[in-house]
Amino acid sequence: MAKQDRAIRTRRTILEAAAAVFDERGYEAATITEILSRAEVTKGALYFHFASKEDLAHAVIDAQLLDAPRLPEPPPASRMQRLVDLGLVFAHRMRDDPLLRGSVRLTLDQGPSGIDRGGPFRGWTRLHARVLAEGKERGEVLPHVVPADTAELIVGAYAGINTMSQAVSGRADLERRAISLYEHIMPSIAVPSVLARLDLAPGRGARALAEAERLRAAGPPPASAPVAVG
Amino acid sequence: MAKQDRAIRTRRTILEAAAAVFDERGYEAATITEILSRAEVTKGALYFHFASKEDLAHAVIDAQLLDAPRLPEPPPASRMQRLVDLGLVFAHRMRDDPLLRGSVRLTLDQGPSGIDRGGPFRGWTRLHARVLAEGKERGEVLPHVVPADTAELIVGAYAGINTMSQAVSGRADLERRAISLYEHIMPSIAVPSVLARLDLAPGRGARALAEAERLRAAGPPPASAPVAVG
């Protein structure tokens, strides 16, 4: 393994260990010592990649969007299906992706003022706004919808069902809450013919992700814009 | 002032000081020393009322619902107006109620596992479910709505716009986000004739609160159920 590959792998190991410790303890109570012990790396290796606990926290927060999987294109057939897939795939990944879980806790906890946790909110909002704008161009979206405003509302509301799911069920019911969110808001966003064809059934997140992986394995990367933060 | 009144006042002073410190620092970083200094009371007084920092946190969390103001009855004319007033009054109070702000931070931060922060979620959900069920009896609610499910969705989504407002604007835009939430979800909840009469204009929270205070000052307490947690 080349030296550079090893460095990338070590960085990832540290990042995942830090995310797990942040997820369990929160930012304030997390210590570099516990992260080192979890990652099984030397202090020198950690400080080669990250300057401080704050620097580590920012890297974990950023991973939430950089790690977002590329969703199939096409299918899904409608941009509105892609819109709800963003949240349903997220709910599926929250079940067992430690980096995502740590990032989400750092983003949702109010935390010390030194940590900028607005980045994921802005990134997810841009992404949702773009999908809504594309949907609008294709006639999938009701005329009164302002993509930037509706994007902010979806991202904010989603953050809340995430918090409530954590508080009352330890995250076990996040998918159910996400489905309920889309059932409540999509009638105000999508035109009826698109609304009637939305797949909001349980397991949709897992199916969309499997479909994305199948497409990626099958052929060349899609030419049109993948899911990424604009 | 009777001894009991003094004790109630001291307890309240400590609670508000603790809420302010929790709001600024979060649970982990808050110290009893800083709370004592903020409250200007002795350590003995604090421990007379509260056994520990954890006990204080639970009392602050509980205040979120116990302190909820009684909204006018009647008006508002519709139960759906009452439903949105719950969130719009909350947004107004978040501007300058230190106890509410501290309670909200403790509820939304994931925090240490010893703190039960599910109480406000369950309490607000019961309250919303009751208003929705009353609206359903009066024919204000669309037939497919399940009060308990929709109540959970509103409370969860509201928590998120609260978190996002804190993260990206230091809470300055909470009212605007709350209005956007109701604009997006009420068409899936209320029948059109009720929907068309909803007051979602900026400043509604302040107006509803002023109306409640005017009614309370003017006459005997209302006979029907006030806003309280069931």
Side-chain angles (χ1 to χ4, degrees):
Chain A
M1 187 161 60
K3 199 168 171 184
Q4 208 190 336
D5 289 345
R6 206 157 48 229
I8 289 170
R9 203 181 57 171
T10 302
R11 186 178 187 282
R12 181 76 187 188
T13 301
I14 297 166
L15 212 53
E16 288 184 357
V21 174
F22 286 136
D23 185 33
E24 285 163 29
R25 311 236 180 273
Y27 179 78
E28 288 286 353
T31 62
I32 293 285
T33 307
E34 189 172 356
I35 293 168
L36 286 175
S37 142
R38 182 84 59 116
E40 298 181 330
V41 301
T42 63
K43 194 181 267 193
L46 188 146
Y47 283 110
F48 174 77
H49 289 284
F50 303 99
S52 60
K53 185 168 95 166
E54 191 178 321
D55 191 27
L56 255 173
H58 283 132
V60 168
I61 289 174
D62 290 346
Q64 189 176 142
L65 278 153
L66 297 178
D67 263 17
R70 300 184 166 217
L71 294 180
E73 169 112 31
S78 76
R79 307 312 287 177
M80 294 304 96
Q81 185 66 52
R82 172 176 296 276
L83 194 77
V84 302
D85 281 354
L86 289 174
L88 296 175
V89 166
F90 187 97
H92 177 70
R93 291 174 63 217
M94 277 295 280
R95 290 158 35 143
D96 53 15
D97 182 335
L99 191 47
L100 182 61
R101 294 164 73 113
S103 175
V104 164
R105 169 151 191 184
L106 290 176
T107 306
L108 297 183
D109 276 4
Q110 195 167 317
S113 52
I115 302 291
D116 173 21
R117 59 205 188 94
F121 286 109
R122 288 186 291 268
W124 285 113
T125 301
R126 275 197 301 273
L127 178 51
H128 280 73
R130 200 168 65 204
V131 176
L132 281 160
E134 289 166 2
K136 197 150 195 178
E137 274 174 30
R138 298 187 191 190
E140 295 180 17
V141 172
L142 293 168
H144 68 278
V145 170
V146 179
D149 294 353
T150 294
E152 278 212 315
L153 184 273
I154 297 174
V155 172
Y158 196 99
I161 59 163
N162 213 332
T163 300
M164 185 165 173
S165 171
Q166 167 69 38
V168 306
S169 81
R171 290 178 183 149
D173 61 8
L174 180 57
E175 181 187 49
R176 179 179 67 73
R177 289 177 191 275
I179 291 170
S180 176
L181 173 64
Y182 294 122
E183 285 172 349
H184 278 83
I185 60 173
M186 292 311 290
S188 300
I189 298 172
V191 300
S193 58
V194 169
L195 191 62
R197 287 181 178 81
L198 280 186
D199 180 358
L200 291 175
R204 168 66 198 169
R207 289 195 300 278
L209 209 50
E211 175 71 2
E213 271 152 27
R214 200 186 59 71
L215 284 176
R216 197 172 312 131
S224 56
V227 168
V229 183
Chain B
M1 187 162 60
K3 199 169 169 183
Q4 207 189 337
D5 291 344
R6 205 156 48 228
I8 289 171
R9 205 182 54 171
T10 301
R11 187 179 187 281
R12 180 77 187 188
T13 301
I14 296 166
L15 211 53
E16 288 184 356
V21 174
F22 286 136
D23 184 33
E24 284 163 30
R25 312 232 180 276
Y27 179 77
E28 288 286 353
T31 63
I32 293 286
T33 307
E34 187 171 359
I35 294 169
L36 286 174
S37 143
R38 182 84 59 117
E40 298 182 331
V41 301
T42 63
K43 195 180 267 194
L46 188 146
Y47 283 110
F48 174 77
H49 289 284
F50 302 99
S52 61
K53 185 169 95 167
E54 190 178 321
D55 191 27
L56 255 173
H58 283 131
V60 168
I61 288 174
D62 290 347
Q64 188 176 142
L65 278 152
L66 298 178
D67 264 16
R70 298 181 168 219
L71 293 180
E73 169 114 33
S78 76
R79 307 311 287 176
M80 294 304 95
Q81 184 66 52
R82 174 177 294 278
L83 194 78
V84 301
D85 282 353
L86 289 173
L88 296 175
V89 166
F90 187 97
H92 177 71
R93 291 174 64 217
M94 277 295 281
R95 290 160 33 146
D96 52 14
D97 183 335
L99 191 47
L100 182 61
R101 294 165 73 113
S103 176
V104 164
R105 169 151 191 186
L106 289 177
T107 306
L108 296 183
D109 276 3
Q110 195 166 317
S113 52
I115 302 292
D116 173 20
R117 58 204 189 96
F121 286 110
R122 287 187 290 269
W124 285 113
T125 301
R126 277 197 300 274
L127 179 50
H128 279 75
R130 200 167 68 205
V131 176
L132 281 161
E134 290 167 2
K136 197 150 194 176
E137 275 174 28
R138 298 187 190 192
E140 296 179 16
V141 172
L142 292 168
H144 68 278
V145 170
V146 179
D149 294 352
T150 294
E152 279 211 315
L153 183 272
I154 297 174
V155 173
Y158 197 98
I161 59 163
N162 213 331
T163 300
M164 186 165 171
S165 171
Q166 166 70 38
V168 305
S169 80
R171 290 177 183 150
D173 61 8
L174 180 57
E175 182 187 50
R176 178 178 68 72
R177 289 176 191 276
I179 292 170
S180 176
L181 173 64
Y182 295 122
E183 286 172 347
H184 278 83
I185 60 173
M186 292 311 289
S188 299
I189 299 171
V191 300
S193 58
V194 169
L195 191 64
R197 287 180 177 81
L198 279 186
D199 181 358
L200 292 176
R204 169 64 198 169
R207 289 194 301 277
L209 209 50
E211 175 71 1
E213 271 152 27
R214 199 186 59 72
L215 284 176
R216 197 174 311 132
S224 57
V227 168
V229 183

